[in-house]
Amino acid sequence: MKIIDDTLLDEVSAQAKVSPRLRMNYNFHQSLDDKCHRFLNAVEPGTKVEIHRHPTKDESFVLLRGRVRVNTYNDDGTEIESVVLCPEEGLYGVDIPKNVWHNVESLESGSVFFECKEGPFVPHEEEGVLHLQR
């Protein structure tokens, strides 16, 4: 059994802070080929999570601590919806259907969410990244 507690969240957050990408995963699944991927995703302000989609996979995020913004977009890059998740305010997570463009933005240091989606892992380059001129 793996316990999700403050110690684990602190460890993953510390790794995210020193990572060039300003984020770090802690996987509960054993292999990138597993059928179900379950992991912690620690994100720091300034991390770049490109607008992307998973054509065949639903994806769920549950924020354990901190504040993050989750955005969804149309095919032309127009924002459809935006929500700031914050457990202290009663906004805990989102479920994003397959083939919906989305991204995540960290608004607070130490933010960590639990993520679950179907495996196996497919890099975004193969699934889809929305390239917008901003």
Side-chain angles (χ1 to χ4, degrees):
M1 176 169 58
K2 294 183 182 179
I3 298 172
I4 301 170
D5 59 8
D6 284 337
T7 300
L8 180 58
L9 299 186
D10 290 345
E11 288 173 10
V12 179
S13 289
Q15 293 172 8
K17 287 176 184 170
V18 297
S19 166
R21 296 178 347 139
L22 295 174
R23 61 181 158 149
M24 185 59 61
N25 288 359
Y26 179 92
N27 295 341
F28 295 103
H29 52 280
Q30 299 299 308
S31 163
L32 294 179
D33 292 325
D34 283 358
K35 291 183 179 186
C36 181
H37 286 200
R38 303 153 345 270
F39 55 97
L40 299 177
N41 198 338
V43 291
E44 289 295 308
T47 190
K48 184 177 182 184
V49 179
E50 302 226 17
I51 299 171
H52 66 283
R53 66 180 172 185
H54 309 284
T56 62
K57 301 175 185 182
D58 298 332
E59 185 172 22
S60 296
F61 303 136
V62 177
L63 189 64
L64 302 175
R65 73 172 182 198
R67 290 172 55 89
V68 299
R69 181 185 319 276
V70 181
N71 306 299
T72 59
Y73 302 88
N74 287 320
D75 287 340
D76 67 3
T78 305
E79 186 177 280
I80 299 171
E81 194 169 9
S82 180
V83 62
V84 174
L85 302 178
C86 178
E88 294 167 349
E89 296 175 11
L91 292 166
Y92 302 102
V94 296
D95 185 71
I96 299 171
K98 63 185 170 194
N99 212 31
V100 172
W101 295 106
H102 62 280
N103 73 338
V104 177
E105 174 188 358
S106 174
L107 302 176
E108 184 177 296
S109 184
S111 295
V112 181
F113 55 92
F114 178 83
E115 187 171 338
C116 185
K117 64 184 165 192
E118 179 184 345
F121 173 75
V122 177
H124 291 319
E125 300 82 57
E126 295 176 28
E127 290 191 328
V129 174
L130 186 59
H131 298 286
L132 302 174
Q133 293 185 358
R134 291 186 178 232

